[in-house]
Amino acid sequence: MLNRRNFLTAAVGVAAAGGLAACAKEDDSSSSSSSSGGGGKKITLGFSQVGSESGWRTANSDSVKASAKEAGFNLKFSDAQQKQENQISAIRSYIAQKVDVIAFSPVVVTGWDAVLTEAKKAKIPVVLTDRSVETSDESLYVTLVGSDFTDEGRRAAKILEKVLEKAGHKGPVKIAQLEGTTGAAPAIERAKGFKEVMDADHKDDWKIVVSQTGDFTRAGGKQVMAAFLQSNPDIDVLFAHNDDMGIGAIQAIEAAGKKPGKDILIVTVDGVKDGFVAMSEGKINAIVECNPLLGPQLMDVVKKVHAGETVERWIKTEESDFMQDQAKEALPNRKY
């Protein structure tokens, strides 16, 4: 089996050539298992999800729910529908219910000090998943289980180098950037990582000519890309912070009479099934993986935190076969 990085390289090489042949809604879930990681009583975990804005987020929620069931936890799950006020309300509800541990994927980076202070006073440990926060007191949360978004941005820029080479592009490169939700960690950090490489290695030939949030949604990607094409019809490259925005952008590009993947080269982040379908059609040139299957790691951390064990400040997402499995589902006839 190909490891993740080799698989990414192979995917880029073929795709670039054109032929790859999270008002909060709460869901209480519990398991009949008596496992608690530290005694007879089940651990009650309150989890607040960003929303359900993308295929990645759906996979992430499914992973959390399945892993909590397998661990024998009593899971209280809430969908914030991409609104911070809903997420804060859900966390306060978990505090009132005296859950054992709170975990959440923050909608945005800032604005959490008050509610996290309330959780600390209630002696309920908080674990961040997927996304980071900025606080005045780092003791307000225990750890973060998530990816290195800055590195994902760097990898996207390095992959773009290969895409441009495969496409035979010469001369200046005009780049459009579809950002994630304004103020969200992945949007900030993916843009930062991409720009690091661009400034270091392509200061004279690459330029981001337009950049705006598409809110991590297909509808947002389509709408914003249509506006991009009106103001900058000569865009060479699109860097989308997730697959769903990239897929929405493809619709706008085609509506403008251009060929995605050829007239405008496209690099995205995530690695969900629909992204690979678009790659198979030559419409996305390369995808950088962000693993959404955080559930098993999160449950291990929750057990340790509930038991009073010390954990690392940042627990990076483990490699998995997620991206390869998505590709196999999208392209069942390809040999791996």
Side-chain angles (χ1 to χ4, degrees):
M1 181 180 290
L2 291 172
N3 65 39
R4 184 176 71 177
R5 295 194 182 278
N6 288 340
F7 175 69
L8 280 170
T9 301
V12 171
V14 179
L20 177 63
C23 167
K25 180 181 179 182
E26 191 166 319
D27 172 24
D28 286 4
S29 304
S30 61
S31 167
S32 60
S33 170
S34 62
S35 172
S36 65
K41 182 179 177 293
K42 284 185 182 180
I43 294 173
T44 297
L45 170 64
F47 184 88
S48 179
Q49 182 60 281
V50 171
S52 52
E53 75 283 356
S54 65
W56 190 99
R57 190 63 56 186
T58 299
N60 180 243
S61 293
D62 289 347
S63 177
V64 169
K65 291 177 180 179
S67 298
K69 182 176 182 180
E70 184 176 352
F73 291 178
N74 176 26
L75 176 67
K76 295 180 179 293
F77 185 96
S78 177
D79 180 341
Q81 301 176 359
Q82 292 187 279
K83 296 180 180 180
Q84 185 179 32
E85 59 268 30
N86 290 346
Q87 206 155 44
I88 290 173
S89 177
I91 294 170
R92 286 185 169 138
S93 173
Y94 297 150
I95 294 170
Q97 294 175 63
K98 300 180 180 180
V99 301
D100 296 305
V101 179
I102 293 172
F104 75 110
S105 298
V107 175
V108 293
V109 171
T110 60
W112 301 103
D113 281 27
V115 71
L116 294 183
T117 298
E118 292 171 27
K120 184 177 180 180
K121 288 180 178 178
K123 297 183 179 180
I124 300 175
V126 174
V127 176
L128 305 180
T129 69
D130 177 35
R131 302 178 176 187
S132 61
V133 300
E134 293 177 1
T135 67
S136 59
D137 178 1
E138 289 194 346
S139 72
L140 295 178
Y141 67 93
V142 178
T143 187
L144 162 67
V145 180
S147 301
D148 187 336
F149 298 133
T150 302
D151 188 57
E152 290 172 357
R154 296 188 194 106
R155 286 160 53 202
K158 298 305 289 186
I159 283 178
L160 177 56
E161 293 174 338
K162 297 179 181 179
V163 168
L164 289 165
E165 182 182 356
K166 287 282 185 180
H169 183 92
K170 304 295 183 182
V173 181
K174 296 181 179 180
I175 303 171
Q177 180 174 228
L178 272 170
E179 306 168 24
T181 304
T182 301
I188 295 168
E189 295 167 18
R190 284 172 186 159
K192 175 185 175 183
F194 188 90
K195 194 171 186 301
E196 281 182 9
V197 174
M198 189 176 75
D199 289 349
D201 301 334
H202 300 282
K203 190 174 183 179
D204 297 327
D205 57 330
W206 290 14
K207 182 179 181 181
I208 296 177
V209 296
V210 62
S211 184
Q212 186 176 322
T213 178
D215 213 24
F216 283 129
T217 67
R218 293 191 190 189
K222 180 180 180 179
Q223 180 179 359
V224 176
M225 190 66 199
F228 283 174
L229 291 169
Q230 287 288 327
S231 60
N232 294 271
D234 56 349
I235 293 167
D236 300 307
V237 169
L238 171 65
F239 170 41
H241 287 187
N242 78 341
D243 291 346
D244 281 79
M245 288 191 297
I247 292 166
I250 286 170
Q251 298 172 20
I253 293 168
E254 292 177 330
K258 293 178 179 289
K259 294 183 178 180
K262 292 184 179 180
D263 296 330
I264 299 177
L265 305 174
I266 301 176
V267 174
T268 65
V269 181
D270 273 355
V272 299
K273 176 184 174 182
D274 287 352
F276 279 101
V277 171
M279 286 181 75
S280 73
E281 298 169 343
K283 297 178 181 181
I284 289 179
N285 301 87
I287 299 174
V288 174
E289 180 182 14
C290 180
N291 180 12
L293 307 183
L294 307 184
Q297 278 181 278
L298 174 59
M299 301 314 148
D300 287 343
V301 170
V302 169
K303 288 178 183 178
K304 292 177 180 178
V305 169
H306 184 251
E309 297 180 24
T310 300
V311 296
E312 297 176 27
R313 188 64 181 169
W314 179 14
I315 300 171
K316 294 189 179 182
T317 306
E318 294 175 349
E319 292 191 4
S320 77
D321 294 328
F322 170 75
M323 191 169 180
Q324 192 164 354
D325 289 344
Q326 294 291 289
K328 286 179 179 178
E329 187 175 351
L331 311 168
N333 295 323
R334 176 175 166 79
K335 294 182 179 180
Y336 294 88

